[in-house]
Amino acid sequence: MKNDWLHRIASYLKWRLQVKSWRTVHSPWLFKLLQHMRSDALESEPIEALRAKLRNDSTPVPTVDFGAGSTGTINTVSGITRHSLKRKKHARAMAAIAMHIKAQSALELGTSLGLTTAYLAEHASQVWTMEGNPHIAELASNHWNQLDLQNIQMAIGPFDASLNKLVEGIGALDLVFIDGNHRGDALRKYVSQIEPYLRKDGVIVCDDIHWSKDMELAWNALCLDPKWTLKVDFYEWGLLTKNPGLKPEFRCIRF
Ligand SMILES: C[S@@+](CC[C@H](N)C(=O)[O-])C[C@H]1O[C@@H](n2cnc3c(N)ncnc32)[C@H](O)[C@@H]1O
């Protein structure tokens, strides 16, 4: 635990030394994307009103160990909202990516309470999302009903059990957001399972790339793979695309 914290501090300082402002970007594709990501025009009032309500909801939620059933530990909706969900700025950034690449299909690994899913659903034609905890999945489903979103399909169960079949069924993916099971070997495996189905100008977002030494090593290895042209490290998450129209480059950017 202490080692993870030391790692995150060191890795943040290293990122700070490499980071550039979004204004220094030359690629028109990336510059335009960053403008969308920074704009609050994509903020959704109904989703943010729901987030504010959930922050104060003390309903208990059983946690699940994906290998061995319920651990018996109880979390609360409020705890999950405060500590597990992508913050507003980053959820909005996912919506901006979906809009920028005109995503027909988006896939999220790690639904949680479904708020980032909702942002994706407002800007992609169809969204698939995967969640291993059935108690959380039920809450997410209720939230999409409240928000009147009809274009979300959820696969409930461990990623490892259904990812292959799901991506095969979807066929062509524009945007994938990997936000669960933050282990380096899992990240590499999910990216290699998804990559054959990613459209040539599609995007994969990997969350928590500096969370642990192990995750950072996996992210670094992905960045060294020449199949990815543009690689962007936003510290909390990283973006990969094979888009052949873009100059191969790696960047650390603050937005
Ligand atoms: C960080 S949260 C996702 C947050 C969500 N993407 C958002 O931005 O609001 C990760 C979720 O992934 C689920 N999860 C983690 N590992 C999993 C696995 N191996 N299989 C299925 N679900 C998993 C957890 O139950 C949790 O709800």
Side-chain angles (χ1 to χ4, degrees):
M1 198 63 162
K2 191 176 157 214
N3 281 348
D4 278 350
W5 275 108
L6 289 176
H7 161 78
R8 275 172 229 153
I9 293 166
S11 140
Y12 182 69
L13 293 174
K14 200 168 147 208
W15 179 80
R16 283 294 300 264
L17 288 174
Q18 290 176 278
V19 79
K20 294 270 186 329
S21 153
W22 68 282
R23 291 174 204 277
T24 64
V25 165
H26 297 297
S27 153
W29 185 94
L30 183 56
F31 190 80
K32 191 87 197 147
L33 170 61
L34 291 162
Q35 278 183 322
H36 291 316
M37 282 166 56
R38 287 173 51 78
S39 153
D40 46 21
L42 295 186
E43 188 161 322
S44 162
E45 261 183 49
I47 300 175
E48 292 313 321
L50 179 58
R51 190 194 300 273
K53 201 172 110 195
L54 299 178
R55 281 178 72 87
N56 296 310
D57 182 341
S58 54
T59 307
V61 184
T63 59
V64 162
D65 174 334
F66 302 110
S70 174
T71 57
T73 315
I74 302 284
N75 204 336
T76 60
V77 169
S78 162
I80 296 172
T81 309
R82 288 165 191 266
H83 305 298
S84 249
L85 306 191
K86 277 258 123 322
R87 287 171 293 133
K88 177 169 74 178
K89 168 180 170 178
H90 299 281
R92 226 171 54 193
M94 299 307 135
I97 299 173
M99 187 181 84
H100 183 61
I101 63 173
K102 299 183 179 60
Q104 297 295 310
S105 54
L107 168 66
E108 178 186 44
L109 277 72
T111 316
S112 192
L113 299 176
L115 300 198
T116 305
T117 329
Y119 266 99
L120 287 170
E122 288 193 342
H123 298 277
S125 309
Q126 182 64 46
V127 178
W128 286 264
T129 183
M130 306 178 77
E131 174 55 56
N133 181 332
H135 311 285
I136 295 186
E138 193 182 335
L139 292 168
S141 198
N142 292 339
H143 298 152
W144 304 325
N145 286 338
Q146 287 170 42
L147 295 165
D148 198 22
L149 293 165
Q150 319 279 344
N151 57 340
I152 302 171
Q153 287 184 45
M154 179 161 47
I156 303 172
F159 304 150
D160 289 321
S162 48
L163 181 62
N164 265 339
K165 217 166 155 209
L166 185 66
V167 290
E168 215 180 284
I170 300 170
L173 286 160
D174 292 315
L175 172 58
V176 181
F177 176 35
I178 304 176
D179 187 17
N181 198 6
H182 295 310
R183 291 184 294 112
D185 58 343
L187 176 64
R188 285 196 216 208
K189 188 170 101 180
Y190 299 151
V191 170
S192 73
Q193 284 174 307
I194 289 160
E195 184 269 322
Y197 299 92
L198 193 68
R199 292 215 172 108
K200 67 177 186 346
D201 52 355
V203 166
I204 299 186
V205 169
C206 309
D207 198 61
D208 275 334
I209 50 177
H210 298 287
W211 177 251
S212 61
K213 184 101 194 128
D214 176 46
M215 281 294 282
E216 192 172 81
L217 285 172
W219 166 250
N220 290 343
L222 290 169
C223 290
L224 289 175
D225 183 337
K227 75 164 72 75
W228 304 107
T229 48
L230 179 66
K231 289 85 51 177
V232 188
D233 181 340
F234 293 106
Y235 191 75
E236 271 202 29
W237 49 276
L239 177 154
L240 299 171
T241 179
K242 296 187 286 190
N243 190 328
L246 301 175
K247 192 179 106 194
E249 63 176 322
F250 167 81
R251 281 187 159 263
C252 294
I253 293 176
R254 189 188 301 121
F255 75 96

